[in-house]
């Protein structure tokens, strides 16, 4: 094999790579074009592919809502669990609080799935954490049904 590259081949390779980059950039602008078309089959297909929130969005609002609030509730849930062990005679109060946490965690998973899209939720960067969330949520439902 000859490892030399001719100028024609080199230019063709660069042009092909530039064309691919342009296609990647056009995928983002396709969504803007699809918003103008609204009801066409192409527009609907493009809208379905786009997540409502992008996983790499680092805005403070996203960080607060997607990461901060659930972390705060997890700490609060741990505190409630610790206090309920020390004061077991208020069983009804603890069951109501457990039901509230169960509803919150269920809504968290549902909102994440809706916001990021099911594909990104189950196959994206944080898919394993999402599977872990679903596993923990399933255990909470089993515990709630048994108690």
């Amino acid at each position: 094999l000859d490892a030399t590259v001719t100028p024609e081949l080199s230019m063709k390779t660069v042009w092909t790579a530039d064309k691919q980059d342009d296609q990647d950039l056009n995928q983002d602008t396709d969504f803007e074009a699809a918003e103008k078309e609204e009801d066409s089959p192409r527009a609907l297909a493009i809208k379905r592919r786009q997540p409502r929130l992008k996983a790499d969005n680092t805005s403070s609002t996203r960080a607060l809502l997607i990461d901060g609030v659930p972390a705060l509730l997890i700490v609060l849930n741990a505190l409630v669990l610790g206090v309920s062990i020390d004061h077991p005679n208020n069983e009804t109060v603890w069951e109501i609080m457990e039901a509230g946490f169960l509803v919150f965690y269920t809504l968290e998973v549902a909102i994440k799935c809706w916001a990021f899209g099911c594909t990104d939720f189950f196959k994206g960067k944080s898919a394993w954490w999402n599977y872990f969330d679903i596993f923990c949520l399933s255990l909470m439902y089993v515990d709630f049904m048994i108690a």
Side-chain angles (χ1 to χ4, degrees), residues 9-10 42 45 47 90 106-107 109 118 125 138 144:
L9 180 61
S10 176
R42 178 181 170 272
K47 285 180 183 179
N90 295 333
T106 303
L107 286 174
V109 168
C118 288
K125 289 181 181 177
S138 300
F144 191 75

Side-chain angles (χ1 to χ4, degrees), residues 75-113:
V75 171
L76 184 63
N77 191 3
L79 290 172
V80 166
L81 181 63
V83 172
S84 70
I85 291 172
D86 289 340
H87 303 284
N89 42 343
N90 295 333
E91 188 174 321
T92 306
V93 173
W94 306 129
E95 287 178 5
I96 291 171
M97 292 186 93
E98 183 180 355
F101 286 117
L102 185 62
V103 167
F104 170 78
Y105 293 133
T106 303
L107 286 174
E108 177 198 7
V109 168
I111 289 171
K112 278 184 174 180
C113 188

Side-chain angles (χ1 to χ4, degrees), residues 32-105:
E32 294 166 4
E35 286 179 334
K36 294 175 186 172
E37 297 174 21
E38 288 189 20
D39 294 332
S40 73
R42 178 181 170 272
L44 295 174
I46 290 171
K47 285 180 183 179
R48 270 184 262 141
R49 286 195 325 247
Q50 297 289 331
R52 287 162 186 83
L53 292 175
K54 294 196 180 209
D56 60 348
N57 185 357
T58 57
S59 71
S60 60
T61 305
R62 179 204 175 270
L64 179 66
L65 294 177
I66 302 296
D67 300 328
V69 173
L72 182 66
L73 266 285
I74 289 169
V75 171
L76 184 63
N77 191 3
L79 290 172
V80 166
L81 181 63
V83 172
S84 70
I85 291 172
D86 289 340
H87 303 284
N89 42 343
N90 295 333
E91 188 174 321
T92 306
V93 173
W94 306 129
E95 287 178 5
I96 291 171
M97 292 186 93
E98 183 180 355
F101 286 117
L102 185 62
V103 167
F104 170 78
Y105 293 133

